Every structure is written in C-alpha cells, then in structure tokens.
Amino acid sequence: MFTGNKIWIASNEKRLYLMPRMANRHGIVSGATGTGKTITLKVLAESFSEAGVPVFVSDVKGDLSGMGAPGKDSEDMQKRIEKFGLAEEGFEYRAFPTRYWDVYGEKGLPVRATVMEMGPLLISRILGLNETQEGVMSIIFRVADDEGMLLLDFKDLRAMVQYVGENAKNYRMKYGNISASSIGAIQRGLLRLEDQGAELFFGEPSLDIYDWMTGDAEGRGYINVMNCEKLFLNPTLYGAFMLFMLSEIYETLPEVGDLDKPKMALFFDEAHLIFKDASKELMDKVEQVIRLIRSKGVGVFFITQNPTDIPETVLGQLGNRIQHALRAYSVKELRGVKTAAETFRVNPEIDAVKAIQELGTGEALVQFLDEKGIPLMVERANILPPQSLMGPLPPADMMNIIASDDMCDKYLDPVDRESAYEILNATALEAAAAEEERLASIAAEKAQRAADKEAAELAKAEAAKKREEEQLALAKARLEAQKKREEERAAAAAAKAEAAAKREEERAAAAKLKAEIAERKEKERQEKEEKKEKEKTAKMLQSIAVSGARSFTTTMASSFARGILGSLKK
C-alpha cells in the first residue's frame, strides 16, 4: 500500500516500508508453496502502481490476473483490515489499471520481438551455441544486413540460415568459414525453439517497451500481466523472452541513476525456471543486465521457493528480501533454511533459522534497504492484504478488458511485411520459374529432337520399307524372270528334247532305213553272192559234172549231182 511516499508492505509492532528509491536495488520474495508469496507479489505490484510506477509481472499460475478487478469483502479480510488499521489509511477494494499479455496470444495481447532486435549474440546464447557457431550466426546476420534483407520473424531467420548454408562457398572468402556442422547445429537449435512457439514470439509489431511504461488518468502505473501458464512449460522460450525484455529495457532507457521512485518494476514469478539448465553464457548475460539495469531506474524482483534457486551471482544483487516459510524435512532442506537465514542482517531478537520454519501463511521475515542503501535488521511481520481480487479474473471479464484496451489495435494482429523470407522465397520462386523454364526448354528441345529422331526413323523405316518393297518387287520380278527363263529353258529343253527325240527317231528311222537298205543291200549282196556262188557252184558242178562224166559213170555223176543240188536248195 502506497502511503506517505513509501510502500507499506508489512507490519508487526511497527510498519515496514520498502523505500521507492531503493527499489532499483532489486529484491526477492521466496517461500514454500502456499505460504503467501503470490499475495506479497500482488501487494508489491499494487503499491508500485499506486506510486505511479509501471509494473510487469510474469503470471506463471494464472492467479495474478485478478489485479484488474476489485477485491471481495469477507470476514477474514475484515479481520486483517482491522488488524493492520488499514481503514484509517483509506484502504478500499479497487481494481488497478491492468493490461494482459501472452506470447501465444491466448490470454492477452501478443508479445513479439523481431529477430534483429534480439541480435545474433542473444539468439546464440538462447540456443546454447558455442563460440564457432555463434560466429556463424553473426555472419548470417551480417549477410542479411549487407544484402538488405530484414530479419523480422522466425521464418526470416530459418530462411536466412538455410540460404547462407546453401551458399556458404560464395561467402567464405568475404566473411570467413561457414561450416555445414555449425549450420546444422543452428538449425537444430532453431527447431527446438520453434517447437516451443518461437514463430509466435518473433515478428511484428514488435513490443515498444514504452507501451509498458504508461499510467492511467489517476496517475497510477499500469500493471502489465504476462500470462506464462503455457510459456513456463517451454523454459528456453521463457528465458528468451526474459532476456529480451531485460536487454531491451537496458538498451532503450537512458541512464538516470537513483531516482525517488523507479521508472518500472519487474516481477518474475517461479524465477527458478529462468535459471534452470541455463548455459553459462545466458547466466552471464542475465547477471550483467541485473547488475547494470539499476542505473536505468528499473527494479527487478524474483519470486521463487528458495533463495538457493537463484544463482549466487544474481542473488548478491538483490537488496530487498521477503522470506516466507520454508519447510525442512531433510538435511539438504535444513541447509537451505540455514542458507536463507544467513543472508539476512542479524536481529538479536530473532532466531532466523527457527523463525523461517515457524512462519504462518501471510507471515514473513522482511529485510529492506534504508534510504542510504544499508540493509535494515530482519523483522518478522505480517504481509498486508491486497486491494484487488485475490484469485484469477474470470475469462470473460479478462477478454472484455483486452478488447477495450487501446493497445489492442496496435498489437493484436501480426504484421508480415516483406523481409528476408519473402525476398528469398521470391528469389527462389524466380529461380524455380527460371529453372522450370530452362527445364521446359530442355524438355522441348529434347521432345523436338525425339520428334525429329522419330520422324527420321519413320522416314528411314518408310525408306527401308520402300526399299524392301522395291527389293521384293525386284526379287519377284527376278523370280518371275527366272521362272520365265526356267520355263523358256524348260520349253527349249523340251523342244530340244523333242527335236532330239525327233532327230533320234529320224536317226533311228534313217538308221533303220539304212539298216534295211544295208540289209536289203546285204541280202541283195548275199543273194547276189549266193547267186554268184550258185552260179559258180553250178558252173563248178557243171564243170565237175562234165569232168566226172568223163571219169565216172553217168549214174554216179547224176546221183552225186542231185545230192549236191539238193544240199544247195536246203
């Protein structure tokens, strides 16, 4: 509760105040589950708002949205109001000027950041890249800058990484070595980040940090509630958002030193999620920003279960401390209680170790800084109740507040102007069109060659067919001519044979005739010879007969002559 230019947080026999000018020395609210940390956070946020200080709170459990609605009266609240004497201080149930944000755009206005705003170093730390891979990431950003390609949303970065990887040999001489393994590591890291919803976080319109540093007509600072119910399940993206916000505030705001009240107060609930499994590079960056952001007039408060959840290098920067109860059921937990107790300035009247274990709900050990920045002695006190709604705001009421917010028109709808992805995509489409045209031309030429070849083969086939037909015709003609010649030869042979037969017959007839003539002549000759012989014989016989007649008797000569003649006749 803001009163007398001081933030009244708790009371025992006296009131305990957080000095606004010491808020930039940061703080921590810690304690076990159910001990009242969320109520303390609300009281702090409401008080800063009343003081005119804009506030940011990360709402991990979804129970901080109630600050946009007035609290509800109850018997328990009346007892607490009476106990603290709040009625005399003008305590009333009231709603505070609240804006609701959500990286995923589901329970608040979307929160976005451009890739260029994050820069290669922050993105490299978020992805857990080593020095070599971080160098390649810087080259990717440099190439995009030199070639006039804006890196705005996540698809721009993905496209640019792929583009540089595919054209690494063209950039190697100018920018240095770009290994395929480094490109692969970056792409794998981006894939993991994308799985957590990075495509929703990276883009436009980018968050203007001054839109979080506004107030209402009554001079109260706006409380910017970031719904992290889904975001905290994705610790890499949660860390990326927190790192971006702290870096953006640090780089945007001017140096102001110590002011009467901070320019802005930041509250990170479940802060252990920010540091869990964080790389050394990320831790160094967070520590650096926490240490230096105080000069910008910004206070950072971490809400967690145990102070040991916060790295010592960061814990040492947190001057204002509110410790709710811790339970020690093991030796390790007892050591944690002792560690938490040892961080307080000793109060002789309080056994801090014992008190931490005995604190009731809404009760805490409180240690703030005085006006000179010196830690006051730890006090055991009860935390004031909040003026706003204890629990979460009904979803319908939240949607009404979001819809009526004057920031809705600016941030609700994403803007996707021409950037690296569109340029590379257009270039790729042009290249694809050119390649398609080239391939089409090659295909046309190939088709033409194929058609020409087919036509040539067809012509060749037709010519071959024609030659074959001509050859067949010629062969047929030859066969016919040969057949004709054969027939002629056969006819000639037949005629010749017939002539030969005829001649043979003629020769045979001639021979027969000749033989007959010769036979006849022979017969005639024989007959002539026989006749001549006969005549000779007759003459001889006649001569013999004449001579025999003389020697023989006429009878014997006659007998002999008849006998001879008879033989001749035979």
Side-chain angles (χ1 to χ4, degrees):
M1 187 173 181
F2 187 69
T3 178
N5 292 323
K6 294 183 290 185
I7 297 176
W8 180 18
I9 297 296
S11 289
N12 43 32
E13 292 80 10
K14 59 184 178 180
R15 294 181 179 183
L16 303 181
Y17 295 100
L18 171 64
M19 306 305 293
R21 68 189 318 268
M22 289 294 108
N24 67 340
R25 306 300 173 91
H26 314 312
I28 180 172
V29 178
S30 56
T33 301
T35 57
K37 298 191 302 297
T38 301
I39 297 301
T40 302
L41 188 160
K42 281 191 173 186
V43 173
L44 284 167
E46 292 174 358
S47 301
F48 278 113
S49 177
E50 285 182 312
V53 178
V55 175
F56 166 85
V57 296
S58 63
D59 187 5
V60 173
K61 299 185 289 292
D63 53 1
L64 298 177
S65 59
M67 286 186 284
K72 294 182 179 180
D73 197 18
S74 66
E75 183 179 347
D76 181 63
M77 282 295 294
Q78 284 299 325
K79 290 180 180 179
R80 298 179 72 181
I81 292 171
E82 183 180 353
K83 177 181 179 180
F84 291 107
L86 295 176
E88 293 80 2
E89 296 294 335
F91 180 92
E92 62 179 343
Y93 297 113
R94 61 193 304 192
F96 287 81
T98 307
R99 284 198 178 98
Y100 299 99
W101 305 85
D102 183 358
V103 166
Y104 299 98
E106 297 173 357
K107 295 184 178 181
L109 296 173
V111 177
R112 304 182 184 91
T114 66
V115 173
M116 291 189 301
E117 288 172 331
M118 291 289 285
L121 297 182
L122 285 185
I123 290 180
S124 296
R125 288 188 172 96
I126 291 166
L127 299 180
L129 303 181
N130 60 33
E131 185 177 352
T132 301
Q133 295 158 356
E134 182 178 319
V136 173
M137 180 67 79
S138 297
I139 290 174
I140 291 169
F141 273 73
R142 182 63 181 274
V143 171
D145 186 55
D146 290 349
E147 298 191 6
M149 290 186 281
L150 298 175
L151 297 177
L152 301 178
D153 52 28
F154 195 71
K155 64 180 184 295
D156 290 333
L157 183 56
R158 289 287 302 271
M160 199 67 203
V161 171
Q162 181 178 348
Y163 171 74
V164 172
E166 291 174 347
N167 298 275
K169 62 180 180 181
N170 299 328
Y171 296 114
R172 191 168 290 121
M173 293 302 295
K174 183 176 180 180
Y175 299 102
N177 187 43
I178 304 171
S179 68
S181 60
S182 293
I183 292 292
I186 292 171
Q187 288 178 321
R188 290 190 296 273
L190 293 178
L191 186 61
R192 290 192 297 270
L193 197 58
E194 184 179 20
D195 290 340
Q196 297 188 16
E199 73 282 357
L200 299 174
F201 177 60
F202 289 100
E204 289 188 312
S206 178
L207 175 67
D208 181 353
I209 207 67
Y210 284 105
D211 287 337
W212 279 4
M213 303 175 67
T214 58
D216 66 358
E218 299 178 20
R220 297 179 300 173
Y222 261 95
I223 299 175
N224 297 278
V225 179
M226 168 67 75
N227 185 281
C228 299
E229 292 178 84
K230 186 175 179 181
L231 183 60
F232 97 100
L233 297 175
N234 300 304
T236 302
L237 190 60
Y238 185 42
F241 161 73
M242 195 210 75
L243 190 58
F244 158 73
M245 188 181 66
L246 291 176
S247 299
E248 188 71 8
I249 291 174
Y250 176 75
E251 294 170 5
T252 302
L253 299 182
E255 295 278 347
V256 294
D258 291 329
L259 301 173
D260 290 337
K261 61 182 180 181
K263 282 190 172 183
M264 191 173 189
L266 310 177
F267 293 87
F268 293 98
D269 196 8
E270 302 294 340
H272 64 280
L273 296 173
I274 300 171
F275 305 103
K276 183 181 180 182
D277 299 326
S279 64
K280 182 180 183 301
E281 293 77 9
L282 183 58
M283 289 296 302
D284 290 344
K285 184 64 177 178
V286 172
E287 179 190 355
Q288 179 189 33
V289 172
I290 294 297
R291 186 174 63 253
L292 299 177
I293 204 172
R294 56 173 290 188
S295 64
K296 306 289 184 171
V298 176
V300 180
F301 291 79
F302 293 105
I303 293 83
T304 188
Q305 293 189 6
N306 195 307
T308 57
D309 295 334
I310 308 297
E312 289 186 7
T313 53
V314 175
L315 189 62
Q317 307 293 323
L318 311 180
N320 300 290
R321 303 191 177 194
I322 300 175
Q323 176 66 61
H324 288 275
L326 289 175
R327 310 305 179 204
Y329 300 108
S330 66
V331 175
K332 181 179 180 181
E333 290 174 341
L334 183 58
R335 282 199 299 267
V337 170
K338 291 180 179 179
T339 300
E342 290 171 355
T343 62
F344 292 109
R345 180 181 171 183
V346 175
N347 185 336
E349 299 180 1
I350 298 175
D351 181 347
V353 175
K354 184 178 179 181
I356 289 176
Q357 299 178 75
E358 294 176 347
L359 293 171
T361 302
E363 193 178 12
L365 293 183
V366 179
Q367 175 183 289
F368 294 137
L369 302 176
D370 65 14
E371 293 184 353
K372 295 181 180 180
I374 300 172
L376 297 169
M377 286 192 297
V378 64
E379 298 280 354
R380 182 170 179 171
N382 291 293
I383 304 298
L384 270 62
Q387 295 171 269
S388 61
L389 186 64
M390 283 277 194
L393 191 67
D397 294 345
M398 183 191 297
M399 291 299 107
N400 289 334
I401 293 176
I402 294 171
S404 61
D405 196 320
D406 55 0
M407 294 292 176
C408 189
D409 291 338
K410 181 175 181 179
Y411 290 107
L412 184 61
D413 296 322
V415 175
D416 191 11
R417 59 190 172 113
E418 185 180 72
S419 48
Y421 173 80
E422 286 74 22
I423 293 172
L424 292 174
N425 195 42
T427 303
L429 289 175
E430 290 175 2
E435 179 66 12
E436 187 177 352
E437 184 177 352
R438 186 183 71 83
L439 293 175
S441 176
I442 292 173
E445 291 177 3
K446 187 176 180 180
Q448 185 61 44
R449 287 196 300 270
D452 293 343
K453 183 178 179 180
E454 186 178 357
E457 290 177 352
L458 185 60
K460 184 178 179 181
E462 290 178 352
K465 183 178 179 181
K466 187 175 180 180
R467 287 195 302 273
E468 186 178 356
E469 289 176 350
E470 291 175 351
Q471 289 175 355
L472 288 173
L474 181 61
K476 186 177 180 180
R478 287 177 179 174
L479 286 173
E480 291 178 352
Q482 184 177 359
K483 183 178 180 182
K484 187 175 181 181
R485 288 195 300 272
E486 289 292 334
E487 290 176 350
E488 289 177 351
R489 282 198 294 270
K496 185 177 180 181
E498 186 178 351
K502 188 175 181 181
R503 287 196 299 273
E504 186 65 29
E505 289 177 356
E506 289 176 352
R507 282 197 297 272
K512 184 178 180 182
L513 180 60
K514 186 177 179 180
E516 289 177 352
I517 293 172
E519 184 179 358
R520 196 167 51 250
K521 285 181 178 181
E522 180 66 26
K523 187 176 181 180
E524 287 177 355
R525 184 184 63 76
Q526 288 179 357
E527 287 178 352
K528 281 181 180 183
E529 286 182 356
E530 287 179 355
K531 186 177 179 182
K532 187 177 178 179
E533 186 68 31
K534 286 179 178 182
E535 287 176 355
K536 184 179 177 180
T537 303
K539 283 178 179 184
M540 185 179 67
L541 292 174
Q542 188 178 4
S543 176
I544 294 173
V546 171
S547 299
R550 292 175 177 166
S551 308
F552 299 97
T553 65
T554 301
T555 306
M556 291 180 66
S558 291
S559 298
F560 182 73
R562 279 190 302 273
I564 299 275
L565 286 171
S567 299
L568 290 173
K569 286 180 182 181
K570 292 177 181 178

